Amino acid sequence: MDSKEYELSDRERIAKRLKEARLQSGLKQEQAANLLNIQRPTISEIEAGRRKVSAEEIIQFADLYKVNPSWLLLEDDGNIDPSLMFAARELEKYKQEDIKKLIDILKILPK
Amino acid sequence: MDSKEYELSDRERIAKRLKEARLQSGLKQEQAANLLNIQRPTISEIEAGRRKVSAEEIIQFADLYKVNPSWLLLEDDGNIDPSLMFAARELEKYKQEDIKKLIDILKILPK
DNA sequence: CTTTTTTTGTAAGATATTCTTACTGTAACA
DNA sequence: TGTTACAGTAAGAATATCTTACAAAAAAAG
């Protein structure tokens, strides 16, 4: 009976991951709140998906809970697509000027 | 040439990356705002580091600007230049054959 | 260079969110 | 039952954000 994250908003899904991460790290809401210098109800509201989480807070939560920041942003993991990396490294062989030109061309070309 | 992000707050550094990413994607503030269904001054305030960016917004910005969400959260994207990453992502959309042609064109282009 | 247009910055009041504090709910356990 | 530990929630105060309009700056045109 896997809990489906479908039909949940991004905020709710992020909330779930934050709660999961906190529990995984063995911290109570109050402990997390103290360590991050925020109020405990704030943690409660965030984990309920009722309060937004800022980018900075995501960084802090990730650090405290020892999880990858990008996982909190609903990415599968923190890794970049290998084929993308390959393409990027190929591009590195070219001069900066040529790359700029390529980018301009790409912006114009149809897919 | 400074470009030193030292002594900047996380918010300011995120702001810089957001602006850099927008410019790299060739979008005006107004275009970005329209595509994200927010007001243009909001983009301005965010890029000035005066307004927080929510986790959800980071996801949307990353998608629109074609950058890695974790890079917006100040992770270092595997030490590859952001403009390279952008080009690589764009390149992925094209057929292998077309990419070879593009690179051939690049080799001919004057510096 | 001067003028015009485009793009971005910013002000101010209205609106909305978040914070703070205190109280409530719930589960575990003696 | 009563107690403890932890999490949820309510309400007003404090902040932040949004909206609209105008101003500044930058870019383009003449």
Side-chain angles (χ1 to χ4, degrees):
Chain A
M1 206 82 55
D2 194 63
S3 62
K4 293 188 178 180
E5 289 186 354
Y6 306 124
E7 75 193 66
L8 290 181
S9 68
D10 278 356
R11 194 151 109 192
E12 290 168 321
R13 295 172 65 210
I14 291 168
K16 275 198 167 191
R17 293 205 175 185
L18 280 168
K19 182 168 186 176
E20 181 182 345
R22 177 178 60 81
L23 294 175
Q24 186 64 44
S25 71
L27 292 170
K28 308 300 179 189
Q29 288 185 352
E30 186 168 30
Q31 294 176 300
N34 288 338
L35 290 168
L36 296 178
N37 289 301
I38 60 179
Q39 300 289 333
R40 186 192 53 77
T42 298
I43 304 272
S44 181
E45 294 294 304
I46 286 173
E47 291 183 358
R50 282 188 288 270
R51 180 192 174 280
K52 291 178 192 168
V53 194
S54 72
E56 292 162 271
E57 286 168 336
I58 287 290
I59 293 171
Q60 295 176 326
F61 277 122
D63 185 54
L64 178 60
Y65 297 155
K66 303 286 192 292
V67 295
N68 201 307
S70 65
W71 179 75
L72 292 179
L73 291 188
L74 313 178
E75 301 279 302
D76 291 337
D77 63 4
N79 295 330
I80 300 166
D81 183 347
S83 68
L84 228 177
M85 290 301 294
F86 177 80
R89 296 203 185 281
E90 282 300 304
L91 281 176
E92 276 192 316
K93 298 174 183 171
Y94 296 87
K95 291 186 164 63
Q96 188 67 31
E97 288 243 347
D98 290 342
I99 292 170
K100 281 188 173 26
K101 288 172 185 166
L102 175 60
I103 291 174
D104 288 339
I105 292 171
L106 288 174
K107 284 174 182 169
I108 298 169
L109 286 180
K111 309 295 185 292
Chain B
M1 260 322 251
D2 68 317
S3 167
K4 289 190 180 177
E5 290 186 353
Y6 306 121
E7 68 192 79
L8 291 181
S9 68
D10 279 356
R11 194 152 108 191
E12 290 168 319
R13 295 172 65 211
I14 290 168
K16 275 199 167 192
R17 295 205 173 184
L18 281 167
K19 181 168 187 175
E20 180 181 349
R22 177 178 61 79
L23 294 175
Q24 182 62 69
S25 71
L27 292 171
K28 308 299 178 190
Q29 287 186 351
E30 187 169 32
Q31 296 176 301
N34 287 338
L35 290 167
L36 296 178
N37 289 303
I38 60 180
Q39 300 288 333
R40 185 193 53 77
T42 298
I43 304 272
S44 181
E45 294 295 304
I46 286 173
E47 291 183 358
R50 282 189 288 268
R51 180 193 174 281
K52 290 178 193 167
V53 193
S54 72
E56 292 162 273
E57 287 168 335
I58 286 289
I59 292 172
Q60 295 176 326
F61 276 122
D63 186 52
L64 179 60
Y65 297 154
K66 306 286 194 302
V67 296
N68 207 299
S70 65
W71 180 74
L72 291 179
L73 292 187
L74 311 179
E75 303 276 303
D76 64 10
D77 231 7
N79 289 325
I80 289 187
D81 187 284
S83 69
L84 279 181
M85 287 304 299
F86 178 85
R89 285 179 189 284
E90 289 297 311
L91 269 183
E92 272 203 324
K93 298 174 183 169
Y94 299 87
K95 295 188 177 121
Q96 195 66 32
E97 191 180 356
D98 292 337
I99 294 174
K100 283 192 170 70
K101 288 176 184 171
L102 276 175
I103 291 180
D104 286 340
I105 293 173
L106 277 182
K107 289 175 179 169
I108 299 171
L109 284 177
K111 306 296 188 294

